Amino acid sequence: MINTVKDLAAEALFVSCLQPSEDPSRTAVEEAITSMILLYGSDGCAAGVATEFGDHPDVAVRRMRWVQTELAEVVTMGAPAMR
């Protein structure tokens, strides 16, 4: 179950407009994930990832590495951010 949630969060962040160059805050990452899940749902996020890997695999690999790094930082920080 936890892996499914992590996978969905990764897909949602991947399809978001956030860019590594923005050095987004933890709150921005969490909000982007939530927004994309609400906007596209789990199937839509997965489809967006699949499309990018099919169309631009070299760029998609770099973006997914960034996504995984961002998610690891969010997870290691513990409880949800205070608003």
Side-chain angles (χ1 to χ4, degrees), residues 9-79:
E11 292 166 351
L13 183 56
F14 184 95
V15 299
S16 76
C17 294
L18 285 182
Q19 296 298 314
S21 61
E22 296 177 62
D23 193 25
S25 68
R26 178 177 177 208
T27 300
V29 169
E30 291 173 350
E31 288 174 355
I33 291 168
T34 301
S35 294
M36 294 300 99
I37 292 170
L38 292 173
L39 184 62
Y40 296 117
S42 61
D43 290 344
C45 290
V49 171
T51 298
E52 285 304 308
F53 270 93
D55 293 346
H56 310 286
D58 52 330
V59 176
V61 167
R62 286 193 307 266
R63 182 156 179 86
M64 188 55 81
R65 283 186 188 134
W66 170 76
V67 164
Q68 294 299 327
T69 300
E70 287 296 314
L71 290 178
E73 290 177 16
V74 168
V75 169
T76 59
M77 296 177 98

